[in-house]
Amino acid sequence: MKILVSNDDGYQAPGILALVKALSTIAEVTVVAPADDRSAASSSLTVGKPVRIHEAGERCYYVEGTPADCVHIAVNGLLDFRPDLVVTGVNNGSNLGDDTIYSGTVAAAMEGYLLGIPGIAMSLTHKPGKHFDTAAHVAAGLVRRLMTKPLPMPWLLNVNVPDVPEDDLAGMRVVRLGRRHQAEPVERTHHHHEPGVQVWRIGPAGKAADAGPDTDFGTIAENCVSVTPLLIDLTRYDNLRHVANWLA
Ligand code: MN
């Protein structure tokens, strides 16, 4: 199996190093990842200007671009093979509920999914994370499972792993995404004095709101790994007829 590995924390982040180490024991791994931290880049692509890609060793490239750039360029031109799977992360911090909309980790796996390649986005639930090896071993376990028992295509999994030693994990549950409260208020910085310019800072994500045991938030709270199958179609099917009637 040939696996393309990417992330949004940068190609030297501890999470991706742990992931590569674990996956290399069971598959051929190629890394194409951003040069530096591009967290919360979502699915943004660099268009209208060139993207510089550096060779950093055998089957390892770092990209002056976004997580989605990495997978997009890797699959559509850079690599001389088509990956069987895209695995991203291990992200430094959780990607639960609404986070999946903003996450570059999820977006990099999603970019593969858009191109017809299955994907797994891996995140560690504490920031700064400590037990990246735990999440990397969980990823390797999922890949081993897929080798013996493939899932019907296409598929995309969002996986969050509690930041604990592997022996302390309480299990694994397949659950839906929860929801967060509104994010914390944005803050204005008043130290900056430049005529006509204001400086604001976006604060942390909101606390969990919809976080029952059937959600990713509730699962993580019980020290279990959460696995959520994702889709991309944003159509609100139950509103199609209502909006059509409104327009008629
Ligand atoms: Mn990140």
Side-chain angles (χ1 to χ4, degrees), residues 146-227:
L146 287 161
M147 285 170 166
T148 55
K149 202 173 170 186
L151 273 171
M153 294 271 274
W155 54 267
L156 172 62
L157 301 180
N158 185 46
V159 180
N160 280 272
V161 180
D163 189 13
V164 296
E166 198 170 1
D167 288 346
D168 294 349
L169 288 178
M172 182 180 284
R173 292 215 301 256
V174 181
V175 287
R176 68 178 175 88
L177 299 178
R179 290 295 310 271
R180 287 188 185 276
H181 286 286
Q182 271 186 297
E184 302 291 318
V186 292
E187 271 176 39
R188 184 165 176 186
T189 302
H190 290 282
H191 310 300
H192 187 90
H193 301 288
E194 191 181 336
V197 177
Q198 301 181 12
V199 178
W200 291 80
R201 186 176 286 274
I202 293 177
K207 300 259 184 296
D210 173 10
D214 61 331
T215 69
D216 47 2
F217 287 102
T219 300
I220 287 305
E222 292 175 39
N223 252 1
C224 289
V225 175
S226 71
V227 178

Side-chain angles (χ1 to χ4, degrees), residues 12-239:
Q12 290 177 312
I16 198 169
L17 298 180
L19 187 60
V20 168
K21 191 176 162 202
L23 295 181
S24 295
T25 62
I26 52 172
E28 186 183 302
V29 173
T30 302
V31 174
V32 183
D36 44 30
D37 188 357
R38 303 301 295 265
S39 293
S42 190
S43 289
S44 61
L45 282 178
T46 302
V47 292
K49 63 174 186 177
V51 176
R52 291 165 59 88
I53 300 183
H54 305 253
E55 291 176 27
E58 203 187 344
R59 294 204 299 271
C60 180
Y61 302 85
Y62 64 93
V63 178
E64 295 179 39
T66 66
D69 286 338
C70 294
V71 174
H72 191 87
I73 294 172
V75 172
N76 291 323
L78 176 69
L79 304 181
D80 58 4
F81 64 93
R82 187 172 168 84
D84 302 302
L85 176 65
V86 176
V87 185
T88 63
V90 174
N91 190 56
N92 182 25
S94 57
N95 279 306
L96 300 160
D98 313 12
D99 303 339
T100 52
I101 297 291
Y102 304 99
S103 167
T105 307
V106 174
M110 193 175 274
E111 190 63 24
Y113 178 75
L114 280 166
L115 299 168
I117 300 169
I120 307 175
M122 300 293 309
S123 301
L124 193 66
T125 61
H126 199 252
K127 187 173 184 173
K130 194 173 166 197
H131 299 282
F132 288 103
D133 285 342
T134 301
H137 289 157
V138 169
L142 290 170
V143 171
R144 252 188 248 108
R145 180 99 179 160
L146 287 161
M147 285 170 166
T148 55
K149 202 173 170 186
L151 273 171
M153 294 271 274
W155 54 267
L156 172 62
L157 301 180
N158 185 46
V159 180
N160 280 272
V161 180
D163 189 13
V164 296
E166 198 170 1
D167 288 346
D168 294 349
L169 288 178
M172 182 180 284
R173 292 215 301 256
V174 181
V175 287
R176 68 178 175 88
L177 299 178
R179 290 295 310 271
R180 287 188 185 276
H181 286 286
Q182 271 186 297
E184 302 291 318
V186 292
E187 271 176 39
R188 184 165 176 186
T189 302
H190 290 282
H191 310 300
H192 187 90
H193 301 288
E194 191 181 336
V197 177
Q198 301 181 12
V199 178
W200 291 80
R201 186 176 286 274
I202 293 177
K207 300 259 184 296
D210 173 10
D214 61 331
T215 69
D216 47 2
F217 287 102
T219 300
I220 287 305
E222 292 175 39
N223 252 1
C224 289
V225 175
S226 71
V227 178
T228 304
L230 300 181
L231 50 72
I232 300 174
D233 186 348
L234 296 176
T235 311
R236 184 168 170 189
Y237 288 95
D238 68 348
N239 240 8

